[in-house]
Structure formats: structure tokens, C-alpha cells
Amino acid sequence: MNRYLFFKGLYKEYVILFKNNKIYGIDKYLKKYLKNKDLNYLIIDNDNNIEIYKYKVNNYKYYLIRLFLIKIISK
């Protein structure tokens, strides 16, 4: 969890994935939007090597707002 918070502080508008398939925070809900190829993300291994996937259009804020609206409506 500490590594997640560290990398989230550095890469605020990226979905952060770990090689050991652990996903924390809001990123576990945003993972399903990665297939649209308009959401930047990082893959971090156990040695803290980073693979950065960056697209021209980053819709991180759009998906975040959409996710919150869906949660509000569903309650």
C-alpha cells in the first residue's frame, strides 16, 4: 500500500498496476477502462521498475467522474 501511495503521488493521473496483480484504491475500479486505450497507466514490478503506457488523450478525470456518478446513482 505504501508503494501505491508513493507512485500515486508522483503519477496522479495514471492507473497504477503491480505485476503481482494487486490493485489499490480507485484504480481497481478504473482497470476495466484500460481496454479503451485512452487511459494512461503504469505497471510496476517487485524491483520498482516502471513500464509507462501513455496515450495522446488521457481520460482519467472523465472516467473518475463517471465512476463517482455511477456510485451516487446506484445508492
Side-chain angles (χ1 to χ4, degrees), residues 3-11 16 18 44 48 50:
R3 286 190 330 151
Y4 170 76
L5 293 175
F6 174 76
F7 285 111
K8 196 62 171 179
L10 292 175
Y11 301 99
I16 298 175
F18 291 97
I44 304 169
N48 292 330
I50 301 172

Side-chain angles (χ1 to χ4, degrees), residues 20-52:
N20 58 4
N21 293 328
K22 290 194 178 187
I23 305 171
Y24 298 103
I26 198 72
D27 293 341
K28 62 184 167 186
Y29 302 109
L30 294 174
K31 183 182 176 186
K32 64 183 174 183
Y33 298 114
L34 292 178
K35 63 184 174 187
N36 296 341
K37 300 209 184 287
D38 61 349
L39 187 60
N40 296 344
Y41 65 98
L42 304 171
I43 298 178
I44 304 169
D45 66 4
N46 291 335
D47 295 328
N48 292 330
N49 296 322
I50 301 172
E51 296 177 33
I52 298 176

Side-chain angles (χ1 to χ4, degrees), residues 49-64:
N49 296 322
I50 301 172
E51 296 177 33
I52 298 176
Y53 296 91
K54 188 173 181 177
Y55 299 101
K56 278 188 172 182
V57 178
N58 185 17
N59 286 328
Y60 184 85
K61 289 181 182 178
Y62 169 78
Y63 290 125
L64 195 63

